[in-house]
Amino acid sequence: MGSVGLLYVGAALFVNALMMLGRVEARSAAILNLFVGALQVVLPTLLLVAAGDDLAAISAASGIYLFGFTYLYVGIGLLAGLDTTGVGWFSLFVAIAALVFAGVNFFDVRDRPFGVIWLCWSFLWFLFFLVLGLKRDELTRYTGWVTLANAAGTTTLPAFLLLTDTYTTSAVFAAVFAAVAVAVCAGLWIPTRPGRTPHGTAPEPATGP
């Protein structure tokens, strides 16, 4: 069930990345955020009901709410034309919580690839905090491209691996995944860093992750 939600988180990140890069109009992106946000609240609720006293299942479900609330927050904010500081500071909370979930996956669940994925999400949501909470608009393009990379690598890819029963918790896979993630994030900084905007124009202010 969680893999289905993960797939549609990838869709939301994809559309939101294009919004941050100026390819999708903000209000039109709001609808998908509301759909995915609702899905990411309903699914963990069902998982919690079925979990009983299984702490591992409860922990897994609790993390999903972080993203469900993010997308609902973004969707409502876009439609209502709200200031982004609220969702920006909430993103800082998500970034910190994601570090804890990364530790849980590394040392408790022993799912090292998802430990790396949680670290990637922590970094991404910290970027959302910088852009939306602190209004660091010069980081919008970089954040948009990192969001696009996360849409492909940390949500869509693992979702399909899980759905096809080909996902592995191998430490080797985790190490390769981590190396690729660092290389992608570092590589994207070179063409998108402040002062390297297309045609010398300033980036558009971001409106949501």
Side-chain angles (χ1 to χ4, degrees):
M1 188 180 295
S3 58
V4 175
L6 192 62
L7 178 63
Y8 289 99
V9 166
L13 286 177
F14 176 72
V15 170
N16 289 346
L18 295 179
M19 176 181 64
M20 299 184 79
L21 295 171
R23 300 294 183 179
V24 173
E25 193 272 332
R27 287 174 63 87
S28 68
I31 306 302
L32 182 61
N33 277 276
L34 293 176
F35 285 155
V36 174
L39 179 68
Q40 293 297 92
V41 169
V42 171
L43 283 182
T45 301
L46 295 175
L47 290 172
L48 284 175
V49 170
D53 295 328
D54 186 345
L55 290 179
I58 293 172
S59 175
S62 64
I64 301 174
Y65 282 115
L66 295 172
F67 306 109
F69 292 153
T70 297
Y71 297 123
L72 289 175
Y73 205 155
V74 169
I76 294 170
L78 292 174
L79 290 177
L82 301 178
D83 180 79
T84 63
T85 50
V87 71
W89 281 91
F90 176 67
S91 295
L92 177 61
F93 175 85
V94 175
I96 295 170
L99 292 176
V100 178
F101 282 106
V104 169
N105 277 272
F106 279 126
F107 305 112
D108 186 17
V109 182
R110 301 290 181 178
D111 187 344
R112 294 176 181 85
F114 253 94
V116 175
I117 288 172
W118 275 104
L119 290 178
C120 291
W121 289 340
S122 178
F123 177 63
L124 179 60
W125 259 253
F126 182 72
L127 289 176
F128 293 153
F129 162 66
L130 294 178
V131 173
L132 304 175
L134 300 186
K135 305 293 187 179
R136 296 287 301 275
D137 292 337
E138 73 275 12
L139 297 174
T140 299
R141 286 186 65 241
Y142 177 67
T143 303
W145 281 105
V146 173
T147 304
L148 196 61
N150 272 269
T154 67
T155 54
T156 306
L157 174 62
F160 278 120
L161 291 177
L162 288 166
L163 288 169
T164 57
D165 198 26
T166 53
Y167 177 77
T168 174
T169 59
S170 161
V172 173
F173 177 56
V176 171
F177 196 102
V180 171
V182 171
V184 168
C185 290
L188 288 174
W189 176 253
I190 297 172
T192 61
R193 67 184 184 273
R196 292 292 301 272
T197 54
H199 309 297
T201 60
E204 291 293 326
T207 52

